[in-house]
Amino acid sequence: MACQVVIELKAQPGSANVLRDWMRDKLPGTRGFDGCIAVLPTRSQEDPSLIVLLEQWASRQHFEKYLEWRVQTGVVEELGAMLGAEPQFRYFDYLGV
């Protein structure tokens, strides 16, 4: 069953555009990874430093394998240097309604 992954990223003050540009470079690799169905980056209207990624994966296992690859390649460490807080991950199943 497909898994919806919601990732909240809080950019360091004044660096949301740097994070956006960094994602522009990295998201093609995400979208091309096995099991990725969709990735929709969004930015809060109230707080422009809050970026939320709405991702759909074939399964949570596919996402976890992807995340492991990003850790091994150093991308997660790069991302962490741009954030003012730890990223928040939430996983959802579709209700099928």
Side-chain angles (χ1 to χ4, degrees):
M1 175 185 288
C3 177
Q4 181 78 30
V5 182
V6 177
I7 306 168
E8 293 184 13
L9 305 173
K10 181 75 169 172
Q12 291 184 15
S15 66
N17 289 336
V18 172
L19 180 55
R20 181 201 61 214
D21 293 343
W22 180 86
M23 285 192 296
R24 187 174 287 136
D25 181 55
K26 302 300 181 192
L27 287 181
T30 302
R31 291 181 175 118
F33 200 86
D34 181 45
C36 181
I37 298 167
V39 178
L40 300 169
T42 64
R43 185 188 313 215
S44 170
Q45 291 181 356
E46 290 80 25
D47 178 0
S49 68
L50 178 61
I51 294 174
V52 176
L53 297 169
L54 306 172
E55 302 188 7
Q56 185 178 16
W57 289 83
S59 69
R60 184 169 176 165
Q61 292 75 23
H62 281 92
F63 175 77
E64 289 171 348
K65 185 175 179 182
Y66 158 77
L67 188 56
E68 181 180 311
W69 170 67
R70 287 300 201 188
V71 168
Q72 291 172 351
T73 59
V75 170
V76 170
E77 188 175 341
E78 285 178 30
L79 174 62
M82 292 182 272
L83 300 180
E86 288 292 317
Q88 301 297 310
F89 295 85
R90 291 183 286 162
Y91 304 91
F92 297 88
D93 290 324
Y94 291 96
L95 292 176
V97 179

